[in-house]
Amino acid sequence: MKRKILLLTLALAAALLLAPRAMAAEGGAGQPSGPDWTDFSEDNPAAEPEDSQDSPDPEEPEAPPEDTPAPEPEPEPEPEPEDPMLTADQWARDGIASAIGKGFVPADLQNHYRNVITRQEFCRMAVSWLEYAMGSGIDDILAQRGVSRDPNAFRDTDDPDILAAFALGITDGTVSPTATEPGTFTPDGLFTRQEAATMLYRVCLVYGAQAGSLPGSDWTDLWQVADWAREGVNFCGAYGLMKGVSGSTPVFSPSGVYTRQESILVFDRTGPEVLTPLDLRSVSDPSMAGRRIPILMYHAIADVPTTSLTSLFVRPSELEAQLKYLSDNGYQTITFEDLDRISAFSKPILLTFDDGYRDNYEILFPLLKKYGLKATIFVITDTRWSKNFLSEANITEMSRSGLVSIQSHTKGHPALTALGRAALAAEMAESKAVITQLTGKAPVALCYPGGGVNATVKAVTGEHYRYGVLNTGGQFTCGEDLLMMKRVRINRGLSVDRFASLIK
C-alpha cells in the first residue's frame, strides 16, 4: 500500500513539473519558455490572446504636458485691396490704366490682374477691343463681313462673344466643329502664350492687317512654337506686340500661361501700325545692292573624320564655339526663304550644310536648339536610306522645328556639267518633289554638287529653283547673280578669331 501511495505521489509531481512546458510547446496561453517558466501560478496567470473578447479596453492616451503650445490658428485670408490696381504688378499699372481709359477692358476683368486669363476671358477682351478699334458694335462688324453667330458651334458654350469670335475666324476652339458635330471651346481652359499670339494675329487681320509670313523676333525658343501658331508668333514679334519672357536669353515661352495684365497690355499696344505693312525688301531690290551677306559652307561634324577629306569634318567643339560666337555677337541666322525680306534683318548670316550627313541631326540640331539659331541643309535625296545620312524622319522633324530649312543638293549628287538637259531636269525635279513631300515646303535653293555649273546647268536650275549656290568665292553681295551665290568655306581646325574675321 505504501508503495502504491509513493508511486502515485511521484507521478503527480512529475505531471505538475511537465505541464507548463507542454503548454508552451503547443502555444497554450502564450506561456514563456526558458528559465522564467516557473513563474506560472494561479496568482500570475498567462495573458489572454489579443483577440480575446475579454481583452481589457485600451489605455487612454496620456494628456499632453501642460507646457505644450496650443496649435496655431489658420491664417485669415488677406482682404481684397480697396484699389483693384494693387493686384497688378507695378510695371503693368500704367498700361492697364491706359486700356481702361480706352474702354475696351470688360468691367469684371478689371481686377485680379496677375491671374491667368481663361480662353473665354481673352475672347471677350478681343471682341471688346475690336469694337473699340473699329468704332462699331460686334453685330455691325459681323454684318459687314457677311457672317453670323452659329449657336451650335460649340457643345460647351453659347457665349455670344465666343460665337462672334468664331464667326470672324479669330478662334477655332480646342476641337473645331465639323459639318455634323459641334466643337469644343473649353471656355475655362488656361491660355498659353502661343494661343494668345495666334488669336491676337487673327484679331489684327479682322482689323485690317495684311496676312503673310513675317520674320520672327530674336527669341531663341521659336523652334518650340507649334506649326499652327508660328505665323501668329512671328507677326506679334515683328510688330513688337508681344514681349519675350525676361531672363538671360530672349525666349518666347510658347507653352507658358498668359495673365490678365499681359492680355490687357498687348491689346493696349496694338494700334494702327499693324495696318501698315512692314518695309520688307528682297536681296534683288536695287536699294539692297552692295549689302554683304555671309553664307557659310559646312559639311560633316565629327571629332574623328571617317573619310580622307578631313578638312570637311568640323569638330563638335569648334562648331559650338562658332555658334556661340554668332549668338553672343547679335548675328541673325536666316534661311533662303528669308531673302525675300532681307531688309528686316540688321545682321543676317546663313549657315549651310552640304550632303545631309546623319551628324547634322545628332550634333548640329541640338546645338541649334541650344542657341536658338537656324541652318540650311542641302540634302542628296537618294541617300535618305543610307545609315550615315539623314533619314526621312530626321528631315521631317528638323523641318517642322522651324530651325532647319531643307534644300536640294540634287537627287544623286552627279557632276551636273556632264549631263544633258533632260537628265539635269530629272535630277532637280525629283529631288524637289521628295523634299516637298517630306517637309510640306517646296525647296527654293540648289547647291551645285562639287560647285560644278555651266550655262546649261544654270539655266535648268533657274527653271526649278530661285537660288543656286557655289562652294567657294567669299561673301555674297546683294545685286549679284542669285544663281551663282558665293559661300565662305568653314574647315576643320578654324579658330574663333579666324572665324570672326571671315564673316565681318
Side-chain angles (χ1 to χ4, degrees):
M1 184 70 179
K2 289 182 179 180
R3 181 180 176 83
K4 287 183 179 180
I5 293 172
L6 178 60
L7 290 173
L8 289 172
T9 302
L10 290 172
L12 179 61
L16 290 173
L17 289 171
L18 293 174
R21 291 194 177 185
M23 291 176 65
E26 296 173 5
Q31 175 63 29
S33 61
D36 294 331
W37 67 271
T38 54
D39 289 344
F40 181 81
S41 68
E42 291 183 0
D43 296 330
N44 187 23
E48 294 285 342
E50 290 183 5
D51 59 351
S52 169
Q53 294 181 356
D54 296 328
S55 297
D57 293 332
E59 294 182 2
E60 293 291 331
E62 293 185 8
E66 293 183 3
D67 57 353
T68 300
E72 298 257 347
E74 290 291 329
E76 293 288 334
E78 293 186 11
E80 289 284 335
E82 293 184 7
D83 182 3
M85 191 63 77
L86 296 179
T87 65
D89 289 316
Q90 184 67 45
W91 53 265
R93 293 175 186 174
D94 288 345
I96 292 173
S98 169
I100 291 174
K102 293 174 182 176
F104 65 77
V105 183
D108 61 327
L109 299 185
Q110 296 178 21
N111 52 46
H112 302 295
Y113 293 111
R114 296 188 189 95
N115 284 8
V116 176
I117 197 165
T118 67
R119 293 172 52 79
Q120 180 179 38
E121 291 169 347
F122 194 91
C123 234
R124 291 175 52 220
M125 184 107 61
V127 168
S128 185
W129 181 88
L130 275 176
E131 292 180 319
Y132 154 76
M134 300 181 72
S136 299
I138 191 61
D139 290 333
D140 291 335
I141 296 172
L142 291 169
Q144 290 167 11
R145 280 158 176 74
V147 296
S148 60
R149 297 179 180 87
D150 177 3
N152 300 313
F154 299 109
R155 59 171 53 89
D156 56 350
T157 183
D158 58 1
D159 182 284
D161 287 338
I162 293 175
L163 298 181
F166 173 68
L168 292 169
I170 293 171
T171 181
D172 297 322
T174 51
V175 177
S176 299
T178 68
T180 58
E181 291 291 330
T184 303
F185 184 77
T186 318
D188 295 326
L190 301 183
F191 214 46
T192 65
R193 292 176 56 81
Q194 62 183 354
E195 288 177 303
T198 300
M199 192 177 291
L200 180 62
Y201 170 55
R202 294 174 178 177
V203 168
C204 290
L205 294 181
V206 175
Y207 180 46
Q210 293 187 12
S213 180
L214 293 170
S217 185
D218 292 332
W219 297 314
T220 59
D221 60 344
L222 288 179
W223 63 273
Q224 296 179 340
V225 175
D227 288 346
W228 53 263
R230 190 160 288 137
E231 194 166 1
V233 171
N234 285 343
F235 180 91
C236 291
Y239 282 99
L241 303 181
M242 290 183 71
K243 309 299 182 182
V245 177
S246 60
S248 57
T249 57
V251 296
F252 180 73
S253 186
S255 298
V257 292
Y258 214 48
T259 62
R260 281 188 183 180
Q261 61 188 5
E262 289 174 307
S263 304
I264 293 170
L265 292 182
V266 78
F267 279 111
D268 185 62
R269 67 171 68 103
T270 302
E273 69 278 357
V274 300
L275 302 179
T276 305
L278 297 177
D279 181 20
L280 301 177
R281 286 166 284 170
S282 73
V283 290
S284 58
D285 191 293
S287 66
M288 295 288 101
R291 186 178 185 187
R292 300 174 71 186
I293 303 173
I295 305 176
L296 309 188
M297 182 183 71
Y298 295 85
H299 285 81
I301 311 158
D303 281 316
V304 180
T306 57
T307 73
S308 60
L309 300 174
T310 58
S311 65
L312 300 184
F313 289 82
V314 174
R315 295 180 180 88
S317 58
E318 294 169 350
L319 176 63
E320 179 162 15
Q322 292 162 10
L323 297 183
K324 185 176 186 302
Y325 177 86
L326 296 177
S327 178
D328 290 347
N329 288 275
Y331 281 91
Q332 298 159 300
T333 50
I334 65 172
T335 64
F336 285 90
E337 293 91 342
D338 293 318
L339 295 179
D340 269 345
R341 46 183 182 267
I342 195 63
S343 60
F345 304 97
S346 59
K347 207 171 181 180
I349 190 169
L350 284 88
L351 310 179
T352 65
F353 290 76
D354 292 5
D355 302 331
Y357 293 103
R358 180 64 63 89
D359 55 50
N360 291 184
Y361 177 80
E362 296 170 345
I363 300 174
L364 170 65
F365 192 34
L367 289 175
L368 295 178
K369 292 178 180 180
K370 179 177 179 179
Y371 292 100
L373 303 179
K374 296 181 180 181
T376 295
I377 299 178
F378 290 107
V379 298
I380 306 165
T381 53
D382 273 359
T383 65
R384 63 190 188 277
W385 298 289
S386 302
K387 68 176 183 178
N388 292 328
F389 291 84
L390 296 174
S391 67
E392 291 186 344
N394 297 153
I395 291 170
T396 300
E397 179 185 348
M398 289 193 292
S399 175
R400 287 180 176 173
S401 74
L403 294 181
V404 177
S405 172
I406 302 296
Q407 300 297 321
S408 175
H409 203 18
T410 72
K411 175 177 176 287
H413 200 271
L416 296 182
T417 55
L419 302 181
R421 288 189 67 93
L424 286 171
E427 280 286 337
M428 297 180 189
E430 291 180 31
S431 171
K432 186 173 186 176
V434 170
I435 293 172
T436 303
Q437 179 184 9
L438 294 178
T439 68
K441 293 169 275 193
V444 297
L446 172 79
C447 173
Y448 302 114
V453 58
N454 58 23
T456 302
V457 171
K458 179 180 170 184
V460 176
T461 299
E463 295 170 4
H464 296 271
Y465 302 97
R466 297 177 58 190
Y467 308 104
V469 300
L470 306 171
N471 63 1
T472 186
Q475 293 195 24
F476 168 76
T477 302
C478 293
E480 294 178 342
D481 191 341
L482 297 180
L483 291 172
M484 299 287 286
M485 299 179 77
K486 297 177 293 188
R487 291 191 292 173
V488 177
R489 181 184 288 268
I490 304 298
N491 288 330
R492 182 182 183 89
L494 193 65
S495 69
V496 173
D497 288 342
R498 177 59 179 154
F499 174 81
S501 69
L502 290 175
I503 63 178
K504 287 182 179 177

